[in-house]
Amino acid sequence: MAEGVFRSMTKADTRVGTVDSAGTGAYHEGSPPDPRTMSVLEENGEMGYDHSARKVRNADFKDFDYVLAMDDDNLHDLSRLHRRIVKNDGADAAPANVMLFGDFGGRKGEEVIDPYYGARDGFTIAYEQMTRFTKGFIEQVLQGVDRAEV
């Protein structure tokens, strides 16, 4: 959902290049978004979102300027992977900024509670968070930036 919201909110912003999403585990690799994600996106006018789940790759830390985690556990896993790549291959192999996406939502340290195992209202709450986080990211990070890969 975060990718869909971010793409929608930045589609006309020339400062934003490639936007992609991936999980720290390969739980649903190759699968489309949850139908509840799609219905919440569509209810909010975001049509045609197309994505297949994938696991984070080492190259993501080189290909993207920002790697944004949804919660502290994922931030921990992504930061550990990032440090390992830098240690083994050097800083040039992983220049990405690894951050908690919720830090851009106005509440430092805010996490997204994974709605997958809950009711549909969790997806609505996640959508609201993604919208706030994206607005904050645009305001806090993209000011003065020519182009970013997220």
Side-chain angles (χ1 to χ4, degrees), residues 63-136:
D63 295 342
F64 296 95
D65 299 314
Y66 297 90
V67 174
L68 303 172
M70 297 298 117
D71 62 35
D72 285 334
D73 288 339
N74 287 311
L75 180 61
H76 173 77
D77 293 344
L78 291 166
S79 296
R80 188 178 67 222
L81 177 57
H82 183 247
R83 284 190 305 272
R84 190 186 79 216
I85 296 166
V86 169
K87 180 181 176 187
N88 292 338
D89 302 328
D92 290 342
N97 296 290
V98 179
M99 308 168 91
L100 184 66
F101 197 23
D103 283 347
F104 298 103
R107 300 178 196 138
K108 189 84 172 153
E110 184 176 356
E111 296 181 87
V112 176
I113 303 212
D114 188 348
Y116 186 77
Y117 296 104
R120 188 179 181 286
D121 66 331
F123 287 81
T124 302
I125 293 166
Y127 178 85
E128 182 276 329
Q129 288 179 300
M130 296 306 104
T131 301
R132 264 190 308 109
F133 299 171
T134 300
K135 284 179 185 174

